[in-house]
Amino acid sequence: MTTLHTFSCLFFFCSLLSAASIIAKVQHHNFVIQETPVKRLCKTVNAITVNGMFPGPTLEVNDGDTLEVKVLNRARYNITIHWHGVRQMRTGWADGPEYVTQCPIRPGKSYTYRFTIQGQEGTLWWHAHSSWLRATVYGALIIHPALGSSFPFPKPDRQTALVLGEWWNANPVDVINQATRTGAAPNISDAYTINGQPGDLYNCSNKETVVVPVNSGETSLLRVINAALNQPLFFTVANHKLTVVGADASYLKPFTTKVLMLGPGQTTDVLLTADQPPKRYYIAARAYQSAQNAPFDNTTTTAILHYRNTTTTSPPITASLPAFNDTNTVTSFSRKFKSLRNVVVPKTIDENLFFTVGLGLDKCPKNFPKNRCQGLNGTRFTASMNNVSFVLPSNFSLLQAHSNGIPGVFTTDFPAKPPVKFDYTGNNISRALFQPVKGTKLYKLKYGTRVQIVLQDTNIVTSENHPIHLHGYDFYIVAEGFGNFNPKKDTSKFNLVDPPLRNTVAVPVNGWAVIRFVADNPGVWLMHCHLDVHIKWGLGMAFLVENGVGELETLEAAPHDLPVC
């Protein structure tokens, strides 16, 4: 009897596995990287695009599907593609950051990214991870529930991806290269965009303004993505309530708001019911700027929510957005985020890390002319974590060096805490702390390690809201606050019941955030500020997560077509 019961259970389990394998699909896509004439703001520029599209193609998959995306580089720049927020379990070779998990795809060469979506549903995105190419090389990655599963909320009548971007009337690569030469901050953007279009508040943009059609009474799922290069953004729809149901491909306890704030890299899923008089309503986004006295693009991008049965030809109803420096609204919004259900948060911590994040100033090298030191007071802008300004290698990727045992590419002495303890958010920080050391330093974690990281903003040069993104992982944001983190007082604020699961955390300006995760994905994983100017200046580091025991805890072998440096 026991044998028969065991056999029946095994047969049932195998049948489930077989059914799952039949349902899950392998999707094949081709991305051709090429120059494409794109006209915006009365001017045509040759933008780097995927398949001639700006933004690039939206990929739609179901949880459990496998993606194989062949990237052929027909442009003049090296490039890689990052699948932002995808866990990449054991497939770190497909993660994409240049010189971290791969060498770049050279002009004329190709590389196929192969990975499986595992246990993720919602909205993610993909983008270039080389220089500033992601200014135009990006697109949505929509993960629907596995076949046979459903949303944890009533199925919406329609779904629309709204990708927020940033546009320069110039070549973005030239913009960052000029800043690198001069040591100054790069020129700000000329416009923000929604699905690639600035909207009718800008010159030469009225006819192409994005229109989102709805029927009265319908509920739409809006998938909002901040793909802007350097700017956190407020987002709203005039006269409509937004019910937040997910973020970064994780479900949340629903809550209603009039405005969203997304840091670059973050996504937010909201339900909108078309319950207003049938007219036209502005969808709008503009900057949240927390760094004092720093120049920024203070324009507003728009799209139009258009009720199909409207007969009006009058202008769209105006949207109201917070002031650019409204940190109170940001704080109120972020503190509403809770996971849909109670979750298993690591309670016992093996690695308790404390990382400062912020800017800095490099003294002008003696052999540099003055025009190469145009930062504050004749310096060059820089940035760091724990006083280490991250330097990418150029001859090998970090993952390649780790897997092949190549010496001299990196060290594993990234500090677990700042080398000097100081008043991180004070106004009188010693100038001796403004200049970080440069290095390619990694922090090593054993497989299965339970990790807590306090991310502490600093007021060196200026404090700022930093969107910190961790590749290869989601993490629980258990707390955030302002001032200097105090473990004696602030630990009591930790939410260890239903904290939100994210891949990018907006560390509050002059404040801190605490995240927790289990190191269950072997490889080399970049952690960095998703303001691209800051990663260029060195605001990043990487974790080296060792293999565990057996095949399922071991990084897969490198693919045969991995690009060479």
Side-chain angles (χ1 to χ4, degrees):
M1 191 70 165
T2 305
T3 304
L4 180 61
H5 176 73
T6 303
F7 176 78
S8 299
C9 290
L10 285 172
F11 178 79
F12 178 70
F13 181 66
C14 290
S15 298
L16 285 177
L17 286 177
S18 177
S21 64
I22 292 171
I23 292 172
K25 299 176 182 177
V26 178
Q27 290 197 22
H28 301 272
H29 298 274
N30 290 302
F31 279 14
V32 178
I33 310 299
Q34 61 191 65
E35 279 197 12
T36 303
V38 177
K39 187 175 183 179
R40 297 291 185 274
L41 310 181
C42 319
K43 182 179 180 181
T44 299
V45 300
N46 285 325
I48 305 300
T49 66
V50 170
N51 300 345
M53 300 169 62
F54 171 65
T58 294
L59 302 184
E60 297 198 46
V61 299
N62 292 93
D63 182 21
D65 286 357
T66 294
L67 275 168
E68 293 191 0
V69 184
K70 182 178 180 180
V71 178
L72 173 61
N73 187 3
R74 287 186 175 155
R76 55 192 165 118
Y77 301 111
N78 296 337
I79 199 167
T80 64
I81 301 293
H82 170 52
W83 314 92
H84 186 109
V86 174
R87 281 296 315 270
Q88 298 287 2
M89 298 301 292
R90 302 177 51 240
T91 53
W93 304 105
D95 189 42
E98 185 178 63
Y99 295 113
V100 178
T101 60
Q102 67 169 98
C103 296
I105 307 168
R106 306 287 182 185
K109 303 295 184 180
S110 67
Y111 178 49
T112 299
Y113 293 89
R114 302 173 180 88
F115 56 92
T116 299
I117 307 295
Q118 299 182 45
Q120 295 183 282
E121 295 178 17
T123 305
L124 297 175
W125 62 302
W126 57 265
H127 60 81
H129 215 295
S130 303
S131 183
W132 271 20
L133 292 177
R134 81 168 179 86
T136 53
V137 179
Y138 61 84
L141 173 56
I142 309 301
I143 307 174
H144 298 287
L147 294 179
S149 299
S150 60
F151 297 117
F153 45 80
K155 185 178 179 180
D157 297 295
R158 63 180 65 240
Q159 301 179 40
T160 302
L162 296 174
V163 190
L164 313 179
E166 207 167 356
W167 177 262
W168 276 262
N169 269 338
N171 180 343
V173 174
D174 291 344
V175 173
I176 187 58
N177 286 348
Q178 179 190 20
T180 302
R181 281 193 302 272
T182 64
N187 292 337
I188 61 172
S189 56
D190 295 291
Y192 301 114
T193 58
I194 298 175
N195 290 354
Q197 295 293 342
D200 57 11
L201 301 184
Y202 296 90
N203 291 335
C204 306
S205 303
N206 186 52
K207 292 181 180 179
E208 290 78 21
T209 299
V210 169
V211 175
V212 179
V214 292
N215 294 320
S216 290
E218 278 188 345
T219 295
S220 296
L221 175 59
L222 303 182
R223 301 175 179 272
V224 187
I225 301 167
N226 186 354
L229 215 60
N230 293 311
Q231 193 64 59
L233 294 168
F234 288 117
F235 172 92
T236 194
V237 181
N239 290 17
H240 287 74
K241 294 178 181 178
L242 305 174
T243 300
V244 176
V245 294
D248 292 0
S250 291
Y251 292 120
L252 298 167
K253 286 183 173 66
F255 67 89
T256 301
T257 182
K258 291 184 177 180
V259 65
L260 313 178
M261 197 291 286
L262 300 92
Q266 293 185 319
T267 74
T268 306
D269 291 346
V270 300
L271 297 175
L272 177 147
T273 299
D275 57 3
Q276 297 299 301
K279 296 181 181 180
R280 299 192 303 156
Y281 298 84
Y282 269 131
I283 300 167
R286 76 174 179 209
Y288 164 53
Q289 178 67 9
S290 58
Q292 292 188 1
N293 303 317
F296 68 101
D297 179 351
N298 197 19
T299 60
T300 301
T301 180
T302 56
I304 297 171
L305 186 76
H306 179 90
Y307 280 65
R308 280 204 167 104
N309 52 338
T310 184
T311 56
T312 182
T313 56
S314 59
I317 293 172
T318 303
S320 176
L321 282 161
F324 71 86
N325 58 354
D326 189 349
T327 294
N328 288 338
T329 291
V330 174
T331 304
S332 174
F333 175 67
S334 66
R335 289 183 176 172
K336 293 176 181 176
F337 280 58
K338 297 180 188 298
S339 283
L340 179 62
R341 300 178 179 89
N342 291 356
V343 293
V344 180
V345 185
K347 303 291 197 301
T348 303
I349 298 300
D350 305 308
E351 291 272 7
N352 198 346
L353 308 176
F354 189 106
F355 292 176
T356 56
V357 296
L359 305 183
L361 299 172
D362 277 339
K363 295 177 182 176
C364 191
K366 292 181 179 179
N367 61 332
F368 274 31
K370 287 185 178 180
N371 63 6
R372 295 206 61 190
C373 298
Q374 296 183 36
L376 292 177
N377 302 317
T379 61
R380 293 176 57 86
F381 280 111
T382 186
S384 68
M385 299 179 77
N386 275 0
N387 202 47
V388 179
S389 187
F390 193 61
V391 178
L392 289 170
S394 56
N395 295 326
F396 302 95
S397 72
L398 295 173
L399 187 57
Q400 183 184 14
H402 163 57
S403 298
N404 297 335
I406 300 170
V409 178
F410 63 84
T411 58
T412 55
D413 57 346
F414 185 87
K417 59 183 180 180
V420 177
K421 188 175 181 180
F422 60 99
D423 180 6
Y424 308 112
T425 55
N427 293 319
N428 297 304
I429 299 174
S430 168
R431 287 279 169 170
L433 297 170
F434 276 48
Q435 179 154 347
V437 298
K438 296 186 185 299
T440 310
K441 298 177 184 286
L442 277 56
Y443 194 91
K444 188 180 289 188
L445 295 171
K446 290 183 178 179
Y447 185 94
T449 298
R450 294 159 294 190
V451 184
Q452 174 176 292
I453 308 175
V454 176
L455 295 163
Q456 174 71 61
D457 186 29
T458 76
N459 198 26
I460 295 176
V461 182
T462 183
S463 58
E464 188 167 2
N465 183 295
H466 293 279
I468 302 297
H469 173 50
L470 175 58
H471 289 232
Y473 285 89
D474 289 323
F475 48 74
Y476 292 110
I477 305 174
V478 299
E480 57 183 48
F482 291 99
N484 300 333
F485 176 75
N486 183 335
K488 294 180 180 179
K489 294 182 180 179
D490 294 326
T491 304
S492 63
K493 303 173 185 175
F494 286 8
N495 176 5
L496 302 180
V497 178
D498 57 357
L501 187 66
R502 305 294 301 262
N503 62 57
T504 305
V505 55
V507 178
V509 55
N510 247 336
W512 50 267
V514 181
I515 66 173
R516 290 187 178 186
F517 64 95
V518 177
D520 60 357
N521 194 11
V524 177
W525 304 106
L526 185 64
M527 176 182 254
H528 65 98
C529 181
H530 220 276
L531 306 180
D532 272 31
V533 60
H534 290 178
I535 181 61
K536 184 68 175 179
W537 287 344
L539 211 169
M541 56 81 65
F543 288 104
L544 192 165
V545 180
E546 298 177 321
N547 287 331
V549 178
E551 182 183 2
L552 296 180
E553 296 181 1
T554 300
L555 176 71
E556 290 184 1
H560 64 88
D561 60 340
L562 187 72
V564 295
C565 288

